Amino acid sequence: MEQQFSRRRTRTVQLGTLAIGGDNPITVQSMTTTKTSDVAATVAQIAALQQAGCEIVRLAIPDMAAAMAVSSIKEATIVPLVADIHFDYRLALEVISRGIDALRLNPGNIRDSEQVRAVVRAAQARRIPIRIGVNAGSLDRAMLEKHGGHATAEALVESALQHVRILEQLDFHDIKISLKANDVPLTIKSYRLMAEQVDYPLHLGVTEAGTPRVGIIKSAVGIGALLAEGIGDTVRVSLTADPVEEVRVARDILQALGLRRFTPILVSCPTCGRCNIDLIALAGKVEERLQSISRPMTVAVMGCVVNGPGEAREADIGIAGGKGEGILFRKGEIIAKVAEERLADALFEEMDRLDKGDLIK
Amino acid sequence: MEQQFSRRRTRTVQLGTLAIGGDNPITVQSMTTTKTSDVAATVAQIAALQQAGCEIVRLAIPDMAAAMAVSSIKEATIVPLVADIHFDYRLALEVISRGIDALRLNPGNIRDSEQVRAVVRAAQARRIPIRIGVNAGSLDRAMLEKHGGHATAEALVESALQHVRILEQLDFHDIKISLKANDVPLTIKSYRLMAEQVDYPLHLGVTEAGTPRVGIIKSAVGIGALLAEGIGDTVRVSLTADPVEEVRVARDILQALGLRRFTPILVSCPTCGRCNIDLIALAGKVEERLQSISRPMTVAVMGCVVNGPGEAREADIGIAGGKGEGILFRKGEIIAKVAEERLADALFEEMDRLDKGDLIK
């Protein structure tokens, strides 16, 4: 897709199979609201989030039961998982040993430097990135006092950089950073300031954005403004709502800015002398049917079997007309010959199959 | 309010009693969906929009019946009204003579230069501003061809500037400009480009944003991104919905960015030795009551009559405690003495009165 906004240059970090930062697509993430130790409920919510288009899922790890549940949860999903950990380094070591894909952890909150070192070495060994997540509502007293008693953009950035420096001193650079505030201008200013200082990928979010009615607008304004300036590599929308709704909103923000495309695309050739079918009517039918498709897919409707499959090689699926008979193809490969009157139906069946395709392991 | 984002410098244009651009508040506008010639329906919708916080209302003027209705509509409202006119200069002259506050009209679409001059002279005589409104969907063929067949940001800006030059050549400078597109990146790029070229106030909007589900996000992202860069002087959210919802969304965008404040504010003093009432409990009660107030207002709850009214001079309304008796004040002026046990109720009554206050003439 055409790059719409000049994007800030960042390092790339690897989150399981997913690369964040650099020229990689800006990803959508969310967080489960289940008790992580309840494996069945957590896996079900991860599946629902993934079905909605969530690409990274964060889990709260408040205790050892939650940390130990990570093994079973990992077995049940292919979505990269991030463990949200505060203070307790043993929880971090536990989730790392159980195959977590990333941590959200502020190393400065683990006071003992040997404990920090143990976590960082374990993360390094498994190539697991760490997100530093600073929140305006939980800046420490000393930092607030230094900045006139207020959670300013400068205070948020300075606090995050303190955590970053701890990791850098241990030669750890697989870092993402978030700087969340409930206040949208503070959020925007903080990320702008951070973007000038480091080249780590940034995780965008407006925290405690509230109920959907106002929270969607706050998130769209805050996250959208930063993305339009080329800032941001992964996005979390926070709402007082089902996290599936967070995913929908995050995707709509990215799609509004032309940064990702999640709805299906129809490709069709201009009709020509070789065309023996009513291409325009057929394309119209397909376009209408695409309204009910929720997965991103490219569907081609081509006039003839001569050039059709080749020209539509990029399409996930397509049809090409012929004399009385057409073909159905996937990624340029012919998968079936179909009678002309069955062509549209055959395509619709294949589109539905692709749309419902189970992404869950 | 603290200025959150450095704002683009613009000229100021006057729209009835309302100034647009410069350091003036960024205003919220919408458009009626009634037949303008149906005066009763139009006036009722304007009242509903105003009640929701709409500060400028645009009316479609497709024919002479609509133009002639402007007199009666003006008599029934104090909200500044903008006439949306295409092609027909006689409609423009008619609404100007009937007291319209502004025009939205692209002078290049009126082919006859004498007709353009007549409209501009009439607008000049009544000090009525003109908004140039260019839309990506209706660029003329020549402009599209010049820009490679696409409605690019450059094409939108060039088209708008052609209209602007026509007005400038007639020494007319009370101009606002809008550059609307359905595509959010195109919208953002077009306004950014225009902001570099002229100092006229800009009217922001994403056109045909769609149903609220997606349209709210597209509008919040597009309008929000521009406002966060200091671009934009008046805002119209377009939704396939009741225009009252457009106003709500526009206000929430402005409020999210700290550019306007529409919800009530509570001011209360730190309690001190002079204080004879339970200030904290009283402030808590008032804060709770403010949840049900929809108008922006500043309410003060002060500990004593000595400094209270003076310190809370900026408050629209307030109370100050005393010994057995307190006072109720408005903008620093004492309006009643009230027994202590009646103090909260007296304030609530006054708040409700202020909240329901009829702004309609």
Side-chain angles (χ1 to χ4, degrees):
Chain A
M1 193 184 313
E2 185 205 356
Q3 196 57 48
Q4 297 280 12
F5 300 100
S6 149
R7 186 168 168 192
R8 167 179 167 260
R9 284 178 172 279
T10 73
R11 292 162 183 260
T12 300
V13 304
Q14 197 69 28
L15 214 150
T17 54
L18 216 60
I20 309 286
D23 290 327
N24 296 292
I26 298 165
T27 46
V28 170
Q29 51 181 290
S30 184
M31 188 166 181
T32 50
T33 55
T34 55
K35 254 178 104 83
T36 303
S37 54
D38 182 344
V39 173
T42 303
V43 167
Q45 195 172 42
I46 293 170
L49 286 168
Q50 183 186 24
Q51 192 65 29
C54 188
E55 297 165 308
I56 301 169
V57 173
R58 182 154 49 111
L59 312 170
I61 306 291
D63 51 36
M64 198 49 81
M68 291 169 68
V70 165
S71 309
S72 312
I73 297 168
K74 276 298 295 175
E75 274 171 28
T77 180
I78 57 165
V79 182
L81 300 179
V82 182
D84 197 287
I85 291 170
H86 296 267
F87 309 108
D88 191 341
Y89 84 111
R90 291 167 304 176
L91 299 176
L93 292 177
E94 191 67 30
V95 296
I96 292 171
S97 76
R98 290 175 183 273
I100 201 79
D101 299 292
L103 301 176
R104 185 259 174 161
L105 176 148
N106 293 345
N109 296 347
I110 301 173
R111 299 297 162 96
D112 183 310
S113 65
E114 279 313 306
Q115 294 178 359
V116 173
R117 182 185 301 267
V119 171
V120 169
R121 292 292 170 249
Q124 238 155 4
R126 305 248 186 162
R127 308 187 63 81
I128 287 173
I130 296 177
R131 168 159 68 93
I132 307 286
V134 167
N135 199 307
S138 55
L139 284 182
D140 68 33
R141 184 180 297 270
M143 188 60 75
L144 283 176
E145 273 170 15
K146 185 172 169 190
H147 292 273
H150 298 293
T152 61
E154 290 75 15
L156 279 161
V157 168
E158 187 178 336
S159 173
L161 288 178
Q162 285 181 353
H163 296 294
V164 167
R165 299 308 173 220
I166 294 172
L167 297 182
E168 288 178 340
Q169 278 161 19
L170 294 166
D171 199 27
F172 187 93
H173 303 279
D174 286 340
I175 298 171
K176 290 182 294 167
I177 303 172
S178 65
L179 303 160
K180 298 192 190 177
N182 169 266
D183 182 74
V184 175
L186 177 57
T187 304
I188 294 173
K189 285 189 222 167
S190 301
Y191 280 101
R192 280 177 179 168
L193 192 59
M194 183 58 92
E196 293 167 4
Q197 315 236 349
V198 297
D199 67 352
Y200 296 114
L202 298 178
H203 161 122
L204 302 185
V206 175
T207 198
E208 294 152 28
T211 58
R213 191 176 154 83
V214 169
I216 288 173
I217 292 175
K218 289 182 70 173
S219 295
V221 168
I223 294 169
L226 288 163
L227 291 172
E229 294 175 19
I231 297 172
D233 304 284
T234 179
V235 167
R236 158 89 194 282
V237 168
S238 304
L239 297 174
T240 309
D242 186 332
V244 163
E245 176 71 356
E246 297 181 349
V247 172
R248 197 274 297 179
V249 172
R251 284 165 60 109
D252 281 351
I253 293 170
L254 291 172
Q255 182 149 308
L257 285 164
L259 295 167
R260 293 287 299 273
R261 191 189 319 242
F262 301 108
T263 48
I265 304 168
L266 174 66
V267 176
S268 84
C269 65
T271 186
C272 76
R274 272 197 305 274
C275 185
N276 289 306
I277 57 168
D278 185 351
L279 189 71
I280 293 167
L282 189 56
K285 263 175 92 170
V286 174
E287 185 165 47
E288 200 184 306
R289 181 64 170 245
L290 281 173
Q291 306 291 327
S292 66
I293 298 290
S294 56
R295 288 266 171 89
M297 61 175 75
T298 302
V299 177
V301 177
M302 310 302 280
C304 77
V305 294
V306 180
N307 296 329
E311 286 182 2
R313 203 175 290 119
E314 301 302 317
D316 296 297
I317 184 174
I319 47 176
K323 254 200 169 141
E325 190 178 64
I327 54 167
L328 186 67
F329 55 91
R330 265 196 182 209
K331 297 274 182 197
E333 301 288 329
I334 297 174
I335 55 173
K337 291 194 176 183
V338 186
E340 191 186 325
E341 61 275 15
R342 278 267 310 137
L343 209 47
D345 286 336
L347 178 66
F348 293 162
E349 285 162 19
E350 204 59 25
M351 279 163 52
D352 285 346
R353 203 165 295 144
L354 212 59
D355 192 39
K356 296 199 178 60
D358 202 1
L359 289 175
I360 315 293
K361 219 203 279 183
Chain B
M1 195 184 314
E2 186 203 355
Q3 197 56 48
Q4 298 278 12
F5 301 102
S6 148
R7 186 168 169 192
R8 168 179 167 259
R9 284 178 172 279
T10 73
R11 292 163 185 257
T12 301
V13 305
Q14 197 70 28
L15 214 150
T17 54
L18 217 59
I20 309 286
D23 291 326
N24 296 292
I26 298 166
T27 45
V28 171
Q29 51 180 292
S30 184
M31 188 167 180
T32 48
T33 54
T34 54
K35 255 179 102 84
T36 304
S37 54
D38 181 344
V39 173
T42 302
V43 167
Q45 195 172 43
I46 293 170
L49 286 168
Q50 183 186 25
Q51 192 66 28
C54 187
E55 296 165 308
I56 300 168
V57 174
R58 183 155 47 113
L59 312 169
I61 306 291
D63 51 35
M64 199 47 84
M68 290 168 70
V70 165
S71 309
S72 311
I73 297 168
K74 276 298 295 176
E75 274 171 28
T77 180
I78 57 165
V79 182
L81 300 179
V82 181
D84 198 286
I85 291 171
H86 296 266
F87 310 107
D88 190 342
Y89 85 110
R90 288 167 305 175
L91 299 177
L93 293 177
E94 190 68 30
V95 295
I96 293 172
S97 76
R98 289 174 184 275
I100 201 78
D101 299 291
L103 301 176
R104 184 259 174 161
L105 176 147
N106 292 346
N109 296 346
I110 301 173
R111 299 297 162 98
D112 183 309
S113 65
E114 278 313 306
Q115 294 178 359
V116 173
R117 182 187 300 267
V119 171
V120 169
R121 292 291 169 249
Q124 236 156 6
R126 306 248 187 161
R127 307 186 63 81
I128 287 173
I130 296 178
R131 168 158 69 91
I132 307 288
V134 167
N135 200 307
S138 55
L139 283 182
D140 68 34
R141 184 179 298 269
M143 188 61 74
L144 283 176
E145 273 170 16
K146 184 171 169 190
H147 292 272
H150 298 293
T152 60
E154 291 74 14
L156 279 161
V157 168
E158 187 177 337
S159 174
L161 288 178
Q162 284 182 353
H163 296 295
V164 167
R165 300 306 172 222
I166 293 172
L167 297 182
E168 289 179 339
Q169 278 161 20
L170 294 167
D171 199 27
F172 187 91
H173 304 277
D174 286 339
I175 298 172
K176 290 183 293 167
I177 302 173
S178 65
L179 303 160
K180 298 192 189 177
N182 171 266
D183 182 74
V184 175
L186 176 57
T187 304
I188 294 174
K189 286 189 221 167
S190 300
Y191 279 101
R192 281 177 177 165
L193 191 59
M194 184 58 92
E196 293 167 3
Q197 315 236 351
V198 297
D199 67 351
Y200 296 114
L202 298 178
H203 162 121
L204 301 186
V206 175
T207 197
E208 293 152 28
T211 58
R213 193 176 153 83
V214 169
I216 288 174
I217 292 176
K218 289 182 69 173
S219 295
V221 168
I223 293 169
L226 288 162
L227 291 171
E229 294 175 19
I231 296 171
D233 304 283
T234 180
V235 167
R236 157 88 193 281
V237 168
S238 303
L239 298 174
T240 311
D242 185 331
V244 163
E245 177 70 355
E246 298 182 346
V247 172
R248 197 273 297 178
V249 172
R251 284 165 61 109
D252 281 351
I253 292 170
L254 291 171
Q255 182 149 309
L257 285 164
L259 295 167
R260 294 286 298 272
R261 193 189 317 243
F262 300 109
T263 48
I265 304 167
L266 173 67
V267 176
S268 85
C269 65
T271 184
C272 75
R274 270 197 306 271
C275 185
N276 290 305
I277 57 167
D278 185 352
L279 189 70
I280 294 168
L282 189 56
K285 263 176 89 169
V286 173
E287 186 165 45
E288 201 186 304
R289 181 62 171 248
L290 280 173
Q291 306 292 325
S292 65
I293 298 289
S294 57
R295 288 265 172 89
M297 62 176 75
T298 301
V299 177
V301 178
M302 310 303 280
C304 76
V305 294
V306 180
N307 296 329
E311 286 180 3
R313 202 175 291 120
E314 302 302 319
D316 296 298
I317 183 174
I319 48 176
K323 255 198 167 141
E325 189 178 65
I327 54 166
L328 184 69
F329 55 90
R330 265 197 181 207
K331 298 271 182 196
E333 300 287 329
I334 299 173
I335 55 173
K337 292 192 176 183
V338 185
E340 191 187 323
E341 61 276 14
R342 277 267 311 138
L343 208 47
D345 287 337
L347 178 65
F348 293 164
E349 285 163 19
E350 203 61 23
M351 279 162 55
D352 286 345
R353 203 164 297 144
L354 213 56
D355 192 39
K356 295 200 178 61
D358 203 0
L359 289 175
I360 315 295
K361 217 202 277 187

